[in-house]
Amino acid sequence: MSEFVEAVDIEVTVNGKTYQRSVEPRLLLVEFLREELGLTGTHIGCDTSYCGACTIHMNGAPVKSCTLFAVQADGQTLTTVEGLATDAGLHPLQKAFSEHHGLQCGYCTPGMLMSAKALLERNPNPSDKEIKKQIAGNVCRCTGYQNIIKSVHAAAAEMRES
Amino acid sequence: MEMKFNGEFKVAIPRQEAFDLLSDPQKFAPLLPTFHSMSMKDDKTATVKVKVGIGKIHGVAATELTLEEAQEPLRAEYVGRGKVMGGAYNMIAGFDLEEAGSDTLIKWRGETQMYGKILSLAGGSMRGYAESEINRLIGSLQLALSPEAEAAAIVAARQAAKPQGLWQKLLALFGLWSPPLPAAPAREVASKEEPAAAVRLLAKPPTRKVLKADVAPAALSRTEVGESIEMDRHGNPTWVGSHLRRKEDSRLVRGRGLYVDDYQSSDMLHLAVVRSPYAHAKILSIDVSEAEALPGVITTLTGAEIASVMQPYMQIGPEPGANIKDYPMAVTKTIYQGEPVVAVVAETARIAADAAELVNVDYEALEPVTSAEDAQHDKSIIHPDMGTNHNWHGIFEYGDLDQAFAEAAHVVKIDRLHFHRFSSTPLETNACVATWDKRGDIDFFTTNTFPAIAMQMMAPALGVSLDNIRCRTHDIGGSFGNKITSYPGMTIAALASRKLGGRQVKWIETRNENLLAGGHGGERTFLDTEVALDADGVITAIRSRHLDDCGAFPRYEPLGCAIWSQVLPATMKLRNIRVDFNQYITNKCPAVPNRGYSRLQHLWFMERVLDICGHQLGMEPDEIRRRNYITEFPYTTPNGCVYDSGDYLKMLKTAQDLLGWDEWKEKQRQARAEGRWLGIGIGTTLDSGSNNFAQAQIVNPDAPFSGNSEVCTLKVGLDGSIVAALGTVPSGQGHETATAQVVADVLKGVGPDLIHVHAGTDTARNAYSGHSGTYASQFAVTGLSAVHGAAVKLRKELLAVGAYALQASEDELEFGEGEMGAQLSVPGTDKVIPFMYLSNIINTNNAGLPPELDEVTLNVRHVFRPKFEVPDLKRKYGNLTLTYAAQLHIAVVEIDKYTFVPQILDYVVVDDCGTQINPKIVEGQVHGATAHGLGAALMEQYLYDASGNLLTSSFSDYTPITAMNMPDLKCASQESPSPFSYNGAKGCGEGGGAPLHTLSAAIQDALAGEDVVVGDTFGSPTAIYDLLHGKGRRTTVTHESRSAA
Amino acid sequence: MYPAPFRYHRPDSLDAAIKLLERLGDMAKPIAGGQTLVPMLKLRMGDVNDLIDIGRLPGLAEIQINDNEARIGALATHATIAASPLAERIPSVRDCAGGIADLQVRSRGTIGGSISTGDPSTDWAPFLHTLRAVVEIQGPAGQREVAIDDFVSDAYTTVLKTGELVTAIRFPLPPPRSGGAYIGYKRAAPAYPTCAVGIQLTLDEAGVCSAARCVLSAVASTPVTSDAADAALVGTGVTEEDLKAAGELIIAAADPPEDVRGSADYKRSVLRGLFLQAGTKARQRATGETIEGSHSYV
């Protein structure tokens, strides 16, 4: 195909801020976030939609941003790990992960937080099994998941109280 | 992957006619069902383009097809080779023609070897699909060879069928048995369709925008640091030993870490690597012209070019391995699948990837060697300069074996045990940004976790001084030892930067590349093991022959030939051991250190031996351990290593209580009565930390390594800040936090929130030695001893300046915190001075300083060197490690009778790593090491086929352990302080691989009634199925009892 | 990993999408959720010139329950289906929808996309065999319907012609005293399943099976069914013995490929276990019990 591939104009709202960019159609959403917007908290850990390090929310649902093109996110509302903390401080999940040592190298953490957040938004008091199923598509190579599960429980408890 | 097919069919045309068609490439090639176009290279060789496709995706693949043999009118044989999507293949297609009356009987056979990632598609389930495609093809061949068949009809039929199957690419291979059309030969045949896009590019890529970051750089403000560490010791008198939240977390939970790929700049270039689809092949030619013509491509580098501008890397081992010409890219031949062959540098990573697809490399496949056992025969030599595949040999013999066997009450023989290939697959892959600037300095922003070694490897090879190389790291997404050997990739990036006048070149490995070539944990086979036991079940002697498979390049690996002997007797008190240790080169990914490096293989072997003996003697696994454990410490092993402290019996008791051993034994009895496979297994393991590099001299007496060292610099900055820099290279182990704890305890009164510890390492900070790095469970001892030493030095200087400034004696002074941060004061008086002013006196306002402060800089550097001796190299005797942490695990598993899944019903972990610096971090390491072991034991395996294809080269096939696969761990710990570290701590990061021992034992116990021996670390459901159904290699055990007394 | 360049189109109607697909031909591909296609493109397993984004076409994501029939729009995601009243009513629908890959993939992946890939390892196409579903297709020549049994013709191959798109899946609501189950076995949620079994049963008032439909997934190029196995269950009480006997009939029709997930014999063994589990669960559900089903893991 020798023709010129047109860049596509897109508008995306990320963490409450709207961006307009012109992108190559093949640009993955995760690359868009990292390279175009400088939001490097969302990571790439595999290429086959296994590890979940790139998990973000699109219109409130957790998605793997390495398995979406940026053009598909045109007009959508995204939340990344950078959007979790507010002026009031860290999200309860962020606090709980630190408090309960739910992270070591930190590479999977943003994706893990976003998957966990999706769970707590619809199930304020999940069981161990529900947490495990929720993060089944997020690989962590450091923690053995034990403290991640503990952290999600702790955050759930804090969110229930507040 | 190799596939062979054959068959026969009859056609109603004369033999000569059939032969004429089958033996003329120009007539034959256009008959392929997926034919696209062709040209003749010479009268026997055609370059044929065929359409290939997966589902709805189509492409074009090129095949070079040669008529290798033509015996008119009996036989025609074609040999082909070519590229398919994500791989390559070689094939042979032969036809034998026999007359059958007026008809012709055509006997056909085909063989193909396939290489590359294409095989891992759909899990490598190639064969089944291939067969169905071939059946279809042969059907159409028969149809087409019928005299009535009209060419047009066949073409029409093909178009209507529009085969869209995944394995249409196989038609490209097997299509060579396609029906001859009764049509006139054509010199140049091309289909009418538009040539499909072999090259499709952006003629003009969208303008790249200069990055505008929406978040602040990762540097933390002081408030964030303050917020990040817990300031509550929970009653603990010291910071060391407190369950503190980590400093690092503040940036990491916000997504503000700085990993290599997070570093971006608008003028950075991107490097992609073209890798060999073959495990073993000669490089015939490389054509980079198409790639270089692509807009946005800056340059390419081939192995030949690289070899012309650098020297091969130093080899750690002696001859013959020392003769290996080790370059970061293949020069004349490739020796493992995934080996770099060409590098492409472009303006964007996407263009680099596009260009990599356009590089044409012509290979000739050579016979691959895919196991150490095969490598022994030297049938195919991998490194011609070595002349053999036998990289290293050494005998480790201690005690009196003959006597022990003569006196034995029992002799147990085990013919073969095998430790499989896996690695910890850190979630971030190998990566670097390299800049070789015009001054001749090379800067690496890297993920390498042992830069001291990387620099010592690269500097001589690149012809620069070590001081010209700067390595810096920030956040690293896990390493587990795997990233120690990323220096070949770093070298390629650096050479690319030099070629381009010093531009920044970023190299990021993809996951597929990481699994193929990023480094695998070592594989080992244990042959001809003989065990002597006394009448009480105490092992008195073991002799065995070990074959270690280090993959294609030894690199760091010769050290593994000695490192295992740090734990020679494991946790057992036997004194007579003989191990004939061998390391072999194979056509597989080079082996690298992996969590528990070289020791876990040996520890698994020893534990497996112990359990097999227990089983033979009818002795329970806890009982035989109680009889064999070392019980007195410090304990000098038969090879002179000193186990510093421990209490294995207590660990066993704690674990059994935590599990509810007796209750589970009862449940097991019931389960067995019901015919269920329920097993309980124990695994005891050691994690030896802070090693003595003199073990390198056991491998190679000329190796210039011994002892160990680590460095910390600690200063009071001009503004009074306390800043530590480390030679260690953390990748998640919380070094910033533990360092702050140690310093805060020395400067008692100053909290860890006021101690700033640089993230990562930077050799420009002058805080490194020749051993600096993070590996071998040594931070808690080697690293923190350096920190402690630096803190003591700084404290002394601060007190000296404080005493001068406050006109007080040093004894009166007390550290504390005030409005201006850390300070010194004289309690009970108004004498107080913040560190900022102390620094001012020394650094910025120092006229008239008294002579006693002449040596004070408030910027100290401490090098910690453990007291090690060089071992007796002849006897291979001496202390190789400073500390020995221990872990004991117990698992209860039940194996499902249909799926053969060993479901973990209960899992207990007891660890003892001496004094714990930060129990939270210790617990995290214990959990993580357990998950790695369980993943390896149940799910994770680098599986190669006989052609040297890695069949598990994506996460979807390698399947790293997930939360769904993890049992809930019941954990306990005990502390046996080490007498050899200043604070009683032991290294604990590696964990020792206990789950491998434990799961093997539990699976064995579950299958106690099945007359099988668990002889492999890999206990996946399929492995268990194969074991029970007699597939693969079995382990045979014999037991000779001589208990006459 | 980076896909090769392509052009992107987002037509705003089904007709426009079909016209575009027809005009651009085989080098153009439709993309809905993209959960199969995007990884393929990243691996550069082939060439695509144009991607036609059909993910937002209106009216194609609805899940309806009519009098005797359920209808699932092609663009309904696995997650939406798993949480729908339909899945509440027919628990095997939730087994299937909720067991596909992981949460993130279920948020994006669509039922129409799943069946259109013809991937031998996917779940929807085989599962829908148990409900005797019909696939609604729209294309340049108008609408047509294809029984799910005829829809997947080979590995990665369906009967869809150039320009045709799946618009919905329809199946009759099972009669009273029916129950079904769909159980897969995989090593981890985001991994390919080793194999899966689906069974749909109807019992009479005496608890005797009056209708049965069984299917096996990932053990041949296309979903495996067996009229003999279905017939063998009819008239039985669906006991363990009955299931074992019927299981052997359908497993004999499977041709499991040997791969990294196991040998053919191993997979047959797994199928036996899953068949027993799925059959038991289906029977229990047919008698009104509430049984949670899900995939099993290592």
Side-chain angles (χ1 to χ4, degrees):
Chain A
M1 186 165 69
S2 54
E3 305 97 303
F4 169 52
V5 171
E6 292 279 350
V8 175
D9 293 333
I10 62 169
E11 182 178 297
V12 185
T13 301
V14 186
N15 302 331
K17 193 171 165 186
T18 301
Y19 301 84
Q20 285 159 343
R21 293 286 189 277
S22 185
V23 299
E24 254 187 284
R26 62 158 157 173
L27 190 72
L28 296 168
L29 183 55
V30 66
E31 295 161 7
F32 173 76
L33 293 169
R34 293 174 53 80
E35 297 173 23
E36 295 288 329
L37 306 187
L39 295 170
T40 56
T42 304
H43 299 142
I44 300 170
C46 73
D47 302 304
T48 53
S49 203
Y50 188 94
C51 82
C54 63
T55 302
I56 62 164
H57 286 199
M58 184 152 107
N59 304 328
V63 298
K64 290 182 173 173
S65 61
C66 79
T67 312
L68 268 166
F69 294 113
V71 287
Q72 291 175 283
D74 181 26
Q76 313 297 310
T77 300
L78 313 179
T79 310
T80 70
V81 66
E82 289 93 342
L84 281 183
T86 61
D87 292 343
L90 295 175
H91 187 279
L93 275 163
Q94 292 174 307
K95 277 190 272 180
F97 268 62
S98 179
E99 182 64 38
H100 298 280
H101 198 30
L103 71 153
Q104 291 181 27
C105 79
Y107 202 80
C108 76
T109 310
M112 205 59 92
L113 288 168
M114 298 312 287
S115 285
K117 180 170 183 272
L119 173 65
L120 299 187
E121 279 166 1
R122 64 182 163 74
N123 181 352
N125 192 10
S127 65
D128 274 8
K129 201 177 162 190
E130 285 165 328
I131 296 171
K132 284 184 178 185
K133 196 168 179 198
Q134 183 79 10
I135 59 169
N138 291 79
V139 172
C140 171
R141 287 310 252 165
C142 296
T143 65
Y145 306 101
Q146 307 294 297
N147 285 344
I148 290 176
I149 293 163
K150 203 191 281 183
S151 302
V152 177
H153 278 305
E158 189 189 326
M159 287 165 77
R160 284 197 304 274
E161 279 164 27
S162 61
Chain B
M1 175 185 241
E2 186 172 278
M3 289 185 280
K4 292 184 180 177
F5 301 94
N6 58 68
E8 59 179 50
F9 59 90
K10 205 183 273 185
V11 293
I13 54 173
R15 179 162 68 171
Q16 186 64 39
E17 198 175 312
F19 177 82
D20 287 347
L21 289 167
L22 289 171
S23 63
D24 182 348
Q26 295 195 55
K27 293 177 188 170
F28 177 65
L31 309 178
L32 311 187
T34 56
F35 178 76
H36 179 269
S37 61
M38 73 177 285
S39 59
M40 292 304 293
K41 201 170 161 185
D42 54 47
D43 62 347
K44 282 191 170 177
T45 302
T47 303
V48 185
K49 287 193 173 171
V50 288
K51 285 176 275 180
V52 295
I54 301 169
K56 297 168 184 165
I57 307 172
H58 302 283
V60 170
T63 299
E64 198 165 282
L65 184 68
T66 305
L67 180 67
E68 189 74 9
E69 191 186 344
Q71 281 181 46
E72 190 171 355
L74 302 173
R75 187 174 158 72
E77 185 167 284
Y78 287 90
V79 174
R81 65 165 176 258
K83 256 166 84 167
V84 283
M85 292 175 291
Y89 68 92
N90 301 326
M91 51 79 56
I92 297 170
F95 304 91
D96 286 307
L97 293 81
E98 290 174 14
E99 286 184 329
S102 60
D103 299 344
T104 307
L105 180 68
I106 299 179
K107 291 185 173 170
W108 58 269
R109 66 184 176 87
E111 286 178 32
T112 181
Q113 287 91 34
M114 304 205 60
Y115 308 92
K117 71 183 175 197
I118 189 166
L119 288 177
S120 62
L121 257 188
S125 48
M126 186 70 100
R127 191 175 184 92
Y129 300 118
E131 278 171 359
S132 72
E133 291 293 345
I134 285 165
N135 288 338
R136 191 179 311 173
L137 191 68
I138 294 300
S140 69
L141 182 66
Q142 283 174 277
L143 174 76
L145 275 170
S146 63
E148 310 85 58
E150 297 279 333
I154 292 167
V155 171
R158 280 180 198 155
Q159 279 175 353
K162 268 199 193 273
Q164 294 186 329
L166 166 62
W167 313 113
Q168 186 170 347
K169 68 184 62 60
L170 279 163
L171 292 174
L173 314 182
F174 302 108
L176 298 170
W177 304 301
S178 175
L181 287 179
R187 227 166 261 294
E188 181 74 21
V189 188
S191 74
K192 283 180 191 161
E193 284 177 44
E194 284 290 304
V199 186
R200 296 178 303 98
L201 318 155
L202 285 171
K204 197 174 99 192
T207 319
R208 238 186 113 67
K209 288 170 192 67
V210 175
L211 175 73
K212 287 195 201 78
D214 278 283
V215 285
L220 288 174
S221 72
R222 188 183 156 91
T223 27
E224 281 174 316
V225 173
E227 200 178 301
S228 71
I229 190 162
E230 196 168 4
M231 292 300 293
D232 184 353
R233 278 179 281 192
H234 303 286
N236 201 55
T238 55
W239 292 106
V240 166
S242 297
H243 295 72
L244 295 187
R245 215 166 50 218
R246 302 188 314 166
K247 273 177 172 296
E248 294 85 344
D249 294 350
S250 177
R251 63 177 184 272
L252 298 178
V253 297
R254 288 174 159 88
R256 291 192 195 171
L258 181 65
Y259 303 90
V260 168
D261 197 24
D262 298 343
Y263 175 62
Q264 304 169 7
S265 85
S266 53
D267 64 342
M268 180 182 277
L269 298 173
H270 300 262
L271 186 143
V273 179
V274 178
R275 294 174 185 274
S276 170
Y278 290 89
H280 197 188
K282 206 160 117 188
I283 298 174
L284 299 176
S285 66
I286 297 176
D287 180 0
V288 294
S289 56
E290 269 188 79
E292 288 191 337
L294 185 66
V297 171
I298 309 293
T299 194
T300 61
L301 279 173
T302 62
E305 183 176 352
I306 277 190
S308 73
V309 295
M310 70 176 282
Q311 296 297 313
Y313 297 117
M314 160 181 87
Q315 296 300 306
I316 289 175
E319 291 192 349
N323 299 327
I324 291 173
K325 301 276 185 294
D326 181 1
Y327 292 102
M329 285 169 96
V331 181
T332 56
K333 66 177 205 164
T334 69
I335 57 171
Y336 66 99
Q337 187 178 60
E339 185 176 11
V341 177
V342 176
V344 180
V345 183
E347 284 170 3
T348 71
R350 280 166 286 282
I351 294 173
D354 293 342
E357 298 273 302
L358 298 177
V359 171
N360 286 308
V361 185
D362 206 2
Y363 300 95
E364 180 186 320
L366 302 170
E367 188 185 337
V369 179
T370 57
S371 74
E373 283 155 296
D374 288 348
Q376 292 180 98
H377 309 305
D378 278 342
K379 245 173 75 189
S380 178
I381 303 286
I382 295 166
H383 291 285
D385 298 312
M386 263 179 89
T388 171
N389 299 321
H390 198 178
N391 186 50
W392 195 80
H393 176 235
I395 291 175
F396 296 74
E397 183 169 344
Y398 309 94
D400 188 335
L401 276 294
D402 290 341
Q403 192 184 343
F405 276 93
E407 290 172 358
H410 304 271
V411 174
V412 174
K413 295 183 181 177
I414 308 162
D415 66 341
R416 181 181 186 269
L417 296 168
H418 177 250
F419 189 100
H420 78 291
R421 243 174 201 250
F422 59 87
S423 65
S424 298
T425 67
L427 206 49
E428 180 200 27
T429 57
N430 291 308
C432 77
V433 177
T435 317
W436 191 328
D437 69 25
K438 290 180 173 127
R439 295 165 302 181
D441 290 337
I442 312 172
D443 177 280
F444 289 107
F445 181 42
T446 179
T447 58
N448 189 292
T449 46
F450 200 169
I453 282 285
M455 289 159 69
Q456 290 174 72
M457 285 290 184
M458 289 190 290
L462 293 172
V464 299
S465 157
L466 220 72
D467 209 49
N468 288 119
I469 301 180
R470 176 183 181 190
C471 282
R472 54 203 170 86
T473 71
H474 197 87
D475 292 309
I476 297 179
S479 167
F480 318 109
N482 298 175
K483 290 176 177 169
I484 286 176
T485 46
S486 67
Y487 58 84
M490 293 166 67
T491 305
I492 298 172
L495 287 170
S497 174
R498 187 174 76 167
K499 187 174 177 184
L500 300 172
R503 292 188 68 178
Q504 291 186 345
V505 174
K506 184 190 264 188
W507 163 62
I508 306 286
E509 221 178 36
T510 66
R511 177 57 58 188
N512 172 250
E513 291 180 307
N514 178 259
L515 295 173
L516 276 172
H520 293 177
E523 179 178 357
R524 201 171 291 170
T525 310
F526 311 89
L527 298 175
D528 310 325
T529 302
E530 296 181 359
V531 192
L533 297 102
D534 71 13
D536 296 327
V538 176
I539 293 178
T540 56
I542 295 178
R543 58 185 168 211
S544 186
R545 188 159 64 92
H546 298 179
L547 311 184
D548 191 72
D549 170 359
C550 72
F553 287 103
R555 291 185 179 151
Y556 196 79
E557 272 314 287
L559 294 181
C561 295
I563 284 176
W564 63 272
S565 69
Q566 293 172 7
V567 293
L568 176 86
T571 54
M572 293 178 258
K573 58 192 178 193
L574 79 162
R575 304 299 303 178
N576 308 299
I577 306 183
R578 182 185 199 273
V579 173
D580 178 346
F581 196 94
N582 302 273
Q583 188 170 62
Y584 286 93
I585 311 276
T586 61
N587 290 118
K588 296 195 279 195
C589 174
V592 299
N594 185 58
R595 199 171 202 166
Y597 178 42
S598 188
R599 290 98 85 211
L600 82 169
Q601 286 89 342
H602 186 70
L603 290 159
W604 175 81
F605 163 73
M606 294 293 281
E607 284 275 304
R608 197 80 284 273
V609 163
L610 180 68
D611 276 316
I612 288 172
C613 291
H615 186 70
Q616 292 295 325
L617 271 58
M619 198 174 280
E620 288 290 324
D622 54 341
E623 184 54 32
I624 197 164
R625 281 176 171 75
R626 281 193 286 268
R627 294 183 188 196
N628 278 281
Y629 277 151
I630 293 162
T631 52
E632 285 176 17
F633 298 89
Y635 177 83
T636 302
T637 65
N639 60 330
C641 290
V642 183
Y643 289 3
D644 52 346
S645 63
D647 189 341
Y648 310 146
L649 287 170
K650 187 175 156 198
M651 290 172 79
L652 179 58
K653 173 83 169 57
T654 305
Q656 287 185 302
D657 291 348
L658 195 55
L659 181 81
W661 178 267
D662 295 336
E663 291 86 341
W664 270 117
K665 289 303 271 187
E666 179 51 36
K667 283 183 202 165
Q668 184 183 39
R669 272 187 286 278
Q670 290 167 12
R672 282 185 172 164
E674 294 163 19
R676 287 154 57 202
W677 287 330
L678 192 140
I680 307 173
I682 302 173
T684 324
T685 206
L686 295 171
D687 183 353
S688 48
S690 297
N691 59 31
N692 176 2
F693 273 84
Q695 65 206 350
Q697 297 183 25
I698 291 178
V699 175
N700 179 0
D702 297 330
F705 301 109
S706 72
N708 200 332
S709 55
E710 194 46 271
V711 186
C712 172
T713 65
L714 190 61
K715 70 177 180 185
V716 175
L718 300 187
D719 58 357
S721 57
I722 307 160
V723 182
L726 306 174
T728 59
V729 189
S731 56
Q733 301 89 340
H735 291 189
E736 292 164 51
T737 304
T739 297
Q741 288 177 257
V742 168
V743 174
D745 274 346
V746 175
L747 306 181
K748 202 172 175 182
V750 178
D753 59 331
L754 290 180
I755 320 291
H756 178 67
V757 184
H758 280 300
T761 198
D762 183 347
T763 54
R765 292 182 196 130
N766 196 27
Y768 78 101
S769 72
H771 302 108
S772 279
T774 290
Y775 56 90
S777 296
Q778 63 171 18
F779 173 71
V781 175
T782 320
L784 288 181
S785 293
V787 170
H788 184 257
V792 169
K793 281 181 180 168
L794 185 69
R795 181 176 191 275
K796 199 171 158 215
E797 290 199 356
L798 283 164
L799 288 173
V801 186
Y804 161 73
L806 297 178
Q807 294 300 302
S809 82
E810 291 185 15
D811 304 345
E812 294 174 274
L813 299 176
E814 205 172 276
F815 288 95
E817 293 179 10
E819 280 176 10
M820 294 182 70
Q823 64 182 27
L824 273 173
S825 64
V826 179
T829 71
D830 59 356
K831 289 182 174 181
V832 58
I833 183 164
F835 280 19
M836 184 174 168
Y837 296 158
L838 293 175
S839 178
N840 179 258
I841 289 169
I842 297 299
N843 291 308
T844 40
N845 190 12
N846 51 19
L849 215 56
E852 63 265 28
L853 296 182
D854 275 357
E855 299 297 317
V856 171
T857 61
L858 297 185
N859 185 350
V860 301
R861 180 174 190 270
H862 185 76
V863 181
F864 172 72
R865 283 186 288 265
K867 298 286 174 223
F868 280 127
E869 301 294 329
V870 174
D872 176 339
L873 299 180
K874 206 170 166 201
R875 289 167 59 214
K876 300 186 176 69
Y877 184 93
N879 192 19
L880 303 179
T881 317
L882 200 61
T883 64
Y884 285 84
Q887 285 198 20
L888 192 146
H889 294 202
I890 305 180
V892 180
V893 305
E894 177 163 6
I895 300 170
D896 184 276
K897 292 219 162 178
Y898 289 107
T899 61
F900 297 84
V901 169
Q903 190 74 40
I904 298 174
L905 305 180
D906 212 344
Y907 202 94
V908 167
V909 177
V910 178
D911 80 280
D912 183 349
C913 62
T915 307
Q916 299 190 0
I917 310 290
N918 184 330
K920 222 171 230 179
I921 293 177
V922 169
E923 184 196 42
Q925 292 296 315
V926 169
H927 289 169
T930 304
H932 277 173
L934 291 173
L938 301 174
M939 306 175 69
E940 303 173 26
Q941 179 192 26
Y942 289 117
L943 179 66
Y944 282 91
D945 69 10
S947 307
N949 284 299
L950 180 62
L951 300 179
T952 49
S953 66
S954 74
F955 263 2
S956 307
D957 294 316
Y958 184 78
T959 58
I961 190 165
T962 72
M964 298 289 278
N965 311 104
M966 271 299 287
D968 297 325
L969 306 179
K970 291 180 183 165
C971 298
S973 63
Q974 64 188 45
E975 296 187 33
S976 304
S978 173
F980 302 147
S981 62
Y982 89 90
N983 54 7
K986 305 181 182 195
C988 74
E990 296 185 86
L996 291 155
H997 326 336
T998 310
L999 264 290
S1000 287
I1003 291 166
Q1004 179 74 74
D1005 191 44
L1007 302 177
E1010 303 298 327
D1011 192 28
V1012 290
V1013 177
V1014 172
D1016 199 293
T1017 35
F1018 195 49
S1020 73
T1022 50
I1024 295 173
Y1025 180 88
D1026 289 348
L1027 175 69
L1028 285 163
H1029 293 81
K1031 292 193 177 178
R1033 304 194 60 162
R1034 300 198 68 160
T1035 297
T1036 308
V1037 174
T1038 59
H1039 173 202
E1040 180 192 338
S1041 188
R1042 305 175 188 160
S1043 46
Chain C
M1 281 194 183
Y2 307 100
F6 53 81
R7 285 176 297 239
Y8 176 77
H9 313 262
R10 197 194 303 141
D12 53 13
S13 72
L14 182 60
D15 281 349
I18 290 168
K19 287 205 175 83
L20 203 51
L21 281 165
E22 192 189 16
R23 179 165 68 78
L24 295 170
D26 276 355
M27 294 292 278
K29 306 299 157 205
I31 182 167
Q35 300 302 287
T36 304
L37 185 57
V38 177
M40 285 285 194
L41 293 174
K42 285 168 72 180
L43 289 166
R44 297 197 178 211
M45 292 293 183
D47 297 323
V48 175
N49 284 348
D50 296 85
L51 272 197
I52 319 294
D53 189 347
I54 57 167
R56 300 184 198 185
L57 294 179
L60 290 178
E62 285 163 28
I63 304 168
Q64 299 159 319
I65 304 179
N66 303 323
D67 292 345
N68 298 313
E69 192 172 70
R71 187 172 183 279
I72 305 175
L75 293 180
T77 64
H78 313 317
T80 314
I81 299 170
S84 69
L86 177 65
E88 189 67 30
R89 181 155 165 179
I90 308 176
S92 60
V93 169
R94 185 165 51 222
D95 292 352
C96 179
I100 293 171
D102 50 51
L103 171 83
Q104 297 96 315
V105 169
R106 293 194 294 273
S107 298
R108 288 288 303 165
T110 66
I111 187 170
S114 171
I115 67 166
S116 299
T117 63
D119 185 329
S121 298
T122 53
D123 292 309
W124 275 119
F127 166 68
L128 290 167
H129 281 66
T130 69
L131 296 171
R132 299 186 186 277
V134 165
V135 183
E136 296 181 12
I137 296 166
Q138 192 142 349
Q143 270 187 302
R144 65 176 178 131
E145 292 184 358
V146 176
I148 189 73
D149 297 44
D150 302 324
F151 181 77
V152 182
S153 52
D154 202 343
Y156 297 92
T157 312
T158 67
V159 298
L160 289 175
K161 294 177 192 151
T162 302
E164 283 192 326
L165 290 168
V166 171
T167 51
I169 317 295
R170 244 177 33 233
F171 54 82
L173 292 175
R177 291 184 302 279
S178 292
Y182 184 79
I183 304 178
Y185 165 63
K186 50 186 175 175
R187 294 182 293 171
Y192 291 106
T194 301
C195 49
V197 172
I199 298 182
Q200 177 72 24
L201 299 171
T202 304
L203 306 180
D204 68 15
E205 283 172 10
V208 173
C209 177
S210 57
R213 184 65 168 158
C214 315
V215 70
L216 311 179
S217 171
V219 287
S221 305
T222 59
V224 173
T225 55
S226 159
D227 293 343
D230 298 345
L233 286 174
V234 173
T236 74
V238 198
T239 63
E240 191 175 325
E241 290 312 308
D242 300 330
L243 286 166
K244 280 182 177 166
E248 289 310 318
L249 293 172
I250 190 167
I251 290 164
D255 182 17
E258 172 154 359
D259 57 26
V260 293
R261 289 177 292 281
S263 62
D265 284 347
Y266 169 70
K267 290 182 180 180
R268 287 193 187 96
S269 176
V270 176
L271 287 173
R272 287 186 184 101
L274 295 181
F275 197 88
L276 208 51
Q277 271 185 52
T280 306
K281 209 163 271 181
R283 173 173 44 79
Q284 288 168 314
R285 282 175 172 165
T287 57
E289 286 183 54
T290 303
I291 309 283
E292 281 302 312
S294 78
H295 287 30
S296 45
Y297 299 87
V298 155

